[in-house]
Amino acid sequence: AMNRHNNIQILINITIAKYYKKINNYDKSANYSRQAINIIKKDDKLTCKQEIIECYLDYAGLEREYKQFANARILLATLLSLLESNKWQDWYAHGLIHSNLARVATDDDEYDTSLLHFEKALDYWSKVVPSTHPVVSQTISLMADAYCQIEAYQAAIQILQQLRNAYQKEGNDYLEAKTLIDIGKIYYYIDLIKARNTISEATELLVDKDKGITELANAHLMLAELEENMN
């Protein structure tokens, strides 16, 4: 009965913390998150695994949002330790933890560290979701941004190209075209001819499609700008 009571209390505290986070009340959101975590620490027989994971991730996200990077890292490391000590082989959750650690590092301008955590996240997710899953594609996009921040443009292009190939295998012209546009934007920095060719390839995939009109218009604007820059 006590175990069930604690599970319910954790869920209530998480829900209230979410509400206060939504209305930008940091103090109260943090307070209710801490109350939930205090219950988690005192009861080692809790069965609400998903709620526990959610609690730590949400609180770490709050701390990151308010630039409390050290606190965010501690929360995520604690959650990782909790999963391992309880032998919870939840690979998706492991991926989320490393993805969040990567985002904290990115916000703190530690791009090399963020890239290491993004790699770990992708490794865990490769065990449980397809290579074109939204969580994977979003992570690859964030990795490409991090690579660009350290001017590793070829590395950014390479990971986006892998994503493009995965969409191509699925026959998803729309997402393949969007990825090609992202690759073209990176080529802006290093090779204008390749940028033009890549974006032109994207426009061919978007022609006569029911969706992608905005992307097609933006691609043509980019091509016009490239032509101007190339005289």
Side-chain angles (χ1 to χ4, degrees):
M2 178 59 71
N3 185 261
R4 183 171 179 273
H5 172 75
N6 284 344
N7 286 346
I8 293 170
Q9 285 299 116
I10 290 169
L11 186 57
I12 290 170
N13 283 315
I14 290 172
T15 305
I16 298 172
K18 280 179 182 290
Y19 166 73
Y20 280 117
K21 182 181 179 184
K22 192 169 186 179
I23 63 169
N24 299 317
N25 189 323
Y26 169 82
D27 290 335
K28 287 193 174 181
S29 182
N31 179 46
Y32 281 101
S33 296
R34 283 193 294 270
Q35 287 185 45
I37 285 173
N38 286 336
I39 298 169
I40 293 166
K41 287 178 177 177
K42 290 175 184 175
D43 191 342
D44 60 359
K45 294 183 174 61
L46 289 169
T47 56
C48 54
K49 181 177 76 170
Q50 291 305 319
E51 286 78 8
I52 290 170
I53 293 169
E54 183 181 358
C55 177
Y56 275 96
L57 289 177
D58 280 354
Y59 189 16
L62 177 75
E63 295 290 54
R64 172 181 158 242
E65 189 176 322
Y66 284 86
K67 301 191 183 304
Q68 304 298 314
F69 300 133
N71 290 345
R73 287 188 178 97
I74 289 168
L75 287 162
L76 293 165
T78 303
L79 176 57
L80 198 58
S81 176
L82 199 62
L83 291 183
E84 289 168 357
S85 62
N86 284 288
K87 295 185 169 63
W88 290 347
Q89 290 191 335
D90 187 329
W91 303 135
Y92 191 82
H94 276 77
L96 286 175
I97 294 167
H98 282 289
S99 174
N100 277 272
L101 282 166
R103 289 165 189 249
V104 172
T106 298
D107 288 353
D108 206 14
D109 297 330
E110 296 178 359
Y111 297 107
D112 289 335
T113 301
S114 73
L115 286 163
L116 287 172
H117 283 296
F118 278 136
E119 287 284 1
K120 287 183 180 179
L122 289 176
D123 186 49
Y124 279 117
W125 286 330
S126 69
K127 304 174 191 292
V128 288
V129 297
S131 58
T132 54
H133 190 280
V135 77
V136 173
S137 58
Q138 183 184 34
T139 298
I140 288 173
S141 179
L142 291 170
M143 285 181 73
D145 289 342
Y147 275 126
C148 288
Q149 288 292 331
I150 59 174
E151 298 185 3
Y153 301 119
Q154 289 295 350
I157 289 167
Q158 185 177 356
I159 59 168
L160 286 171
Q161 188 63 51
Q162 289 170 1
L163 181 62
R164 180 263 176 112
N165 292 342
Y167 286 136
Q168 196 173 40
K169 284 181 183 176
E170 285 187 351
N172 192 328
D173 289 348
Y174 172 65
L175 290 178
E176 183 188 351
K178 283 188 72 173
T179 309
L180 279 169
I181 290 170
D182 289 338
I183 294 170
K185 287 176 182 177
I186 297 170
Y187 272 129
Y188 260 66
Y189 298 106
I190 53 176
D191 192 323
L192 292 180
I193 293 174
K194 285 187 177 178
R196 182 176 63 182
N197 292 343
T198 304
I199 295 167
S200 294
E201 192 175 354
T203 63
E204 291 169 12
L205 288 169
L206 290 169
V207 170
D208 298 328
K209 299 293 180 197
D210 292 333
K211 61 180 179 178
I213 299 204
T214 302
E215 287 81 5
L216 183 60
N218 287 335
H220 280 298
L221 286 170
M222 290 166 67
L223 286 171
E225 185 181 345
L226 278 165
E227 296 294 353
E228 182 181 1
N229 290 335
M230 296 169 70
N231 298 318

